Amino acid sequence: MKRGTTLFLKIAVILIGIPVLALCIFLVPEIGNFAVELYPDIAYIKYLFLIDLYATAIPFYFALYQAFKLLSYIDKNTAFSELSIRALKNIKYCAITISSLYVVGMPLFYLIAEKDDAPGIIVIGLVMIFASMVIAVFAAVLQRLLKNAIDIKSENDLTV
């Protein structure tokens, strides 16, 4: 693969991380404050939102780092290696973790949607869960395909 293509993808990975960082800095605290405004008697709800949303950012950035590493392996012509399989496995686990954290946070989203009369919040949470699971399944399929390709390659190397 040409280096320009992987360079474009590396830049895309970085550009994906920047808006999420901006959301974590500016929007997540506002969501926590909004939750306290809706439920002043449950003041700790702000911290539950902060913990849930910031906890999802950790595996997200780890998955972006793994994607960046995977692109580096492609640059070095070591895409068909155990390192690539490990990176895809880590991406799969990160996507499952993100989805699980959103499932755990859905009751919080429900509380906000119930009080604010905004059912779109629940839909956004469900979209995040579904998107994370699609990424996990896609990473698992790529991991299995790569493992099979490595097995076939090593088998062909032994027969020659």
Side-chain angles (χ1 to χ4, degrees):
M1 187 175 283
K2 293 184 180 180
R3 185 152 169 76
T5 307
T6 57
L7 179 64
F8 173 74
L9 290 174
K10 285 180 182 180
I11 292 170
V13 166
I14 291 169
L15 290 178
I16 289 170
I18 292 171
V20 174
L21 181 62
L23 288 174
C24 286
I25 292 171
F26 299 114
L27 188 64
V28 171
E30 292 298 321
I31 292 172
N33 292 335
F34 181 67
V36 170
E37 289 176 12
L38 291 178
Y39 291 98
D41 52 333
I42 312 172
Y44 61 88
I45 197 168
K46 173 182 180 177
Y47 300 109
L48 293 176
F49 267 104
L50 293 178
I51 289 169
D52 187 48
L53 294 177
Y54 284 137
T56 58
I58 295 168
F60 175 78
Y61 280 108
F62 185 70
L64 284 183
Y65 172 69
Q66 293 298 316
F68 201 83
K69 279 178 41 175
L70 191 58
L71 291 170
S72 296
Y73 298 149
I74 293 170
D75 275 343
K76 297 175 189 171
N77 289 329
T78 58
F80 293 100
S81 66
E82 289 295 323
L83 296 172
S84 298
I85 291 174
R86 192 174 315 133
L88 283 169
K89 185 191 307 185
N90 289 337
I91 291 170
K92 175 181 70 172
Y93 289 145
C94 287
I96 291 170
T97 302
I98 291 169
S99 183
S100 300
L101 287 168
Y102 274 107
V103 167
V104 168
M106 279 307 286
L108 296 172
F109 295 141
Y110 174 77
L111 287 174
I112 296 296
E114 179 77 20
K115 193 77 162 191
D116 195 37
D117 197 28
I121 295 173
I122 295 173
V123 173
I124 291 171
L126 291 174
V127 166
M128 295 301 288
I129 293 168
F130 179 72
S132 297
M133 289 311 295
V134 167
I135 291 170
V137 169
F138 187 68
V141 168
L142 285 179
Q143 178 187 352
R144 179 168 291 155
L145 285 174
L146 188 60
K147 177 75 172 136
N148 289 340
I150 290 172
D151 290 344
I152 291 170
K153 182 179 180 272
S154 65
E155 186 177 304
N156 284 344
D157 289 344
L158 292 176
T159 58
V160 172

